[in-house]
């Protein structure tokens, strides 16, 4: 995840979001396998359901919330006292108590509503401050500063790339190297590996099985880019040079392919990874797409790769034999102007593009 972040953690380290642009990555045990997600301790539930504060044994609720008539230590949304939104909107009434949705639980002494479980232990937040050449790792919930990496300028264009084993990949612009930090589990976060690369990295991608990592970079030589292919088991690296403008990249398919989103010329290209690892750089197939492509995303389960171009969203199916016909989805729909997209993103289940 990449976003501007305003954060003043309760430590002696103070971050200034007005002076530096911060980029953050939320590492969760549930989604990324970085720590054990444990059930919440009811004793640590936020007071008043997180929508007010206790005063003399009862809640003073925030605007838009009111005291639960069945529990004066809980705030609920105004208008919910008639049961229209049972269980706080996060469960179903079963007899005289709530069956709470996953991720929610009963607050102390009240089984007629559901509140969010406390944050699981072992979850970390990574914050990069490129302008200050710093990267920080915090424990979620306690906001304890677990580690600080100095003289490290995270490349905000390439961003963070999390791996399911608790490692985090990024490009360090100050040393022009790919960094792999170990941030998951209970160990102290540390920089596990650093590998020099050619050029300033534009994009990084990982294969579905997380056995290969690729970084693409434009070079000072006009019309040429460097693609560094890394085997994550052993970190053996192979560098190939390909004709390119701004080099977008993805890994996918069976057999595994490197997909190159080129903008000069505007096309997708696919290269067998096995051949690239042997130093061969001949595309297995190419397909012309709309001019000015920028940004790409691959839907592994659907066998499609997507880019945002001048003429709309270009969706291209692929299989082991090559590319299929390009489908173009216009930006203007239902009589409304959609502008011009420069990024493509998928929902977590790979079903929706936005």
């Amino acid at each position: 995840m990449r976003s501007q972040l305003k954060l003043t953690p309760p430590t002696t380290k103070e971050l200034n979001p007005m002076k530096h642009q911060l980029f953050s990555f939320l590492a969760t045990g549930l989604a990324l396998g970085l720590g054990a997600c444990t059930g919440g301790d009811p004793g640590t539930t936020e007071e008043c359901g997180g929508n007010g504060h206790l005063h003399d044994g009862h809640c003073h609720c925030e605007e838009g919330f009111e005291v639960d008539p069945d529990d004066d230590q809980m705030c609920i949304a105004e208008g919910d006292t008639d049961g229209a939104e049972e269980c706080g909107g996060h469960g179903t009434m079963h007899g005289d108590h709530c069956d709470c949705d996953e991720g929610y639980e009963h607050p102390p002494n009240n089984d007629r509503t559901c509140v969010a479980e406390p944050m699981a232990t072992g979850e970390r937040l990574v914050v990069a401050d490129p302008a200050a050449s710093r990267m920080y790792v915090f424990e979620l919930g306690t906001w304890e500063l677990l580690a600080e990496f100095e003289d490290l300028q995270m490349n905000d264009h390439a961003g963070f790339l999390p791996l399911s084993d608790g490692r985090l990949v990024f490009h360090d612009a100050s040393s022009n190297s790919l960094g792999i930090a170990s941030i998951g589990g209970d160990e102290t976060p540390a920089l596990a590996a650093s590998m020099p690369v050619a050029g300033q990295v534009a994009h990084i991608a990982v294969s579905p099985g997380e056995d290969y990592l690729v970084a693409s970079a434009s070079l000072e030589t006009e019309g040429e880019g460097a693609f560094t292919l890394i085997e994550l088991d052993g970190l053996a690296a192979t560098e190939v040079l390909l004709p390119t403008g701004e080099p977008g990249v993805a890994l996918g398919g069976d057999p595994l392919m490197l997909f190159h989103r080129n903008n000069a010329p505007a096309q997708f290209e696919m290269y067998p990874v096995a051949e690239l690892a042997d130093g061969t750089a001949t595309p297995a197939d190419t397909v012309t797409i709309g001019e000015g492509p920028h940004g790409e995303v691959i839907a592994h389960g659907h066998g499609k790769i997507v880019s945002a171009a001048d003429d709309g969203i270009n969706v291209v199916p692929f299989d082991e034999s090559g590319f299929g016909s390009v489908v173009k989805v216009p930006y203007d729909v239902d009589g409304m102007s959609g502008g011009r997209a420069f990024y493509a993103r998928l929902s977590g289940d790979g079903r929706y593009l936005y």
Side-chain angles (χ1 to χ4, degrees):
M1 176 179 70
R2 189 176 72 184
S3 61
Q4 283 189 318
L5 177 70
K6 183 177 181 181
L7 173 66
T8 305
T11 69
T12 56
K13 181 60 62 179
E14 184 172 320
L15 307 180
N16 185 349
M18 302 303 294
K19 182 178 180 182
H20 303 302
Q21 191 175 34
L22 304 179
F23 294 84
S24 64
F25 168 74
L26 180 64
T28 69
L30 178 63
L32 302 171
L34 300 188
C37 285
T38 59
D41 176 3
T44 60
T45 302
E46 288 184 284
E47 64 182 20
C48 301
N51 302 309
H53 63 276
L54 283 172
H55 183 72
D56 293 334
H58 64 276
C59 286
H60 287 202
C61 299
E62 297 175 352
E63 184 176 356
F65 294 85
E66 60 187 355
V67 175
D68 186 340
D70 296 322
D71 181 3
D72 62 3
Q73 295 189 7
M74 179 60 57
C75 293
I76 59 175
E78 290 181 350
D80 283 352
T81 54
D82 59 358
E85 190 175 15
E86 62 183 16
C87 302
H90 302 298
T92 305
M93 286 298 297
H94 184 77
D96 61 353
H97 68 277
C98 288
D99 287 340
C100 297
D101 297 337
E102 184 176 356
Y104 293 84
E105 63 183 11
H106 301 130
N109 305 317
N110 184 6
D111 59 4
R112 297 176 60 84
T113 191
C114 299
V115 296
E117 293 178 350
M119 290 180 179
T121 59
E123 299 180 338
R124 275 88 187 272
L125 175 72
V126 182
V127 179
D129 188 345
S133 297
R134 294 287 192 276
M135 191 166 78
Y136 310 91
V137 183
F138 296 93
E139 182 79 24
L140 279 183
T142 66
W143 302 114
E144 178 187 357
L145 179 62
L146 301 178
E148 177 180 351
F149 300 95
E150 299 182 351
D151 301 322
L152 189 156
Q153 187 178 13
M154 176 263 200
N155 179 338
D156 56 6
H157 189 278
F160 286 133
L161 178 64
L163 304 179
S164 62
D165 62 3
R167 290 180 294 175
L168 185 68
V169 182
F170 56 91
H171 176 242
D172 179 4
S174 62
S175 62
N176 201 26
S177 61
L178 277 183
I180 301 181
S182 178
I183 64 168
D186 298 324
E187 301 298 323
T188 301
L191 186 62
S194 181
M195 295 156 289
V197 291
Q200 284 295 310
V201 170
H203 301 278
I204 50 180
V206 68
S207 62
E210 297 191 357
D211 43 1
Y212 282 97
L213 174 73
V214 65
S216 64
S218 298
L219 301 177
E220 293 183 0
T221 306
E222 187 174 354
E224 193 172 52
F227 293 73
T228 304
L229 184 69
I230 299 169
E231 293 184 59
L232 283 169
D233 183 11
L235 301 181
T238 303
E239 183 182 289
V240 295
L241 302 181
L242 299 175
T244 189
E246 198 269 346
V249 70
L251 290 168
D254 185 15
L256 187 62
M257 296 283 178
L258 181 149
F259 293 90
H260 172 210
R261 189 266 305 148
N262 204 339
N263 67 353
Q267 62 184 25
F268 275 123
E269 306 153 11
M270 62 165 64
Y271 298 83
V273 166
E275 295 182 11
L276 288 176
D278 291 334
T280 303
T282 302
D285 198 12
T286 64
V287 62
T288 300
I289 56 177
E291 289 297 317
H294 187 278
E296 60 284 327
V297 67
I298 186 168
H300 299 290
H302 298 274
K304 293 181 173 66
I305 189 164
V306 181
S307 184
D310 291 344
D311 59 1
I313 301 296
N314 284 231
V315 182
V316 186
F318 65 86
D319 58 24
E320 66 276 2
S321 64
F323 292 111
S325 299
V326 180
V327 176
K328 299 188 178 184
V329 182
Y331 298 123
D332 299 340
V333 292
D334 295 335
M336 296 182 292
S337 174
R340 202 294 195 190
F342 287 91
Y343 300 96
R345 298 291 184 265
L346 282 178
S347 60
D349 59 8
R351 297 174 58 200
Y352 298 99
L353 176 74
Y354 59 97

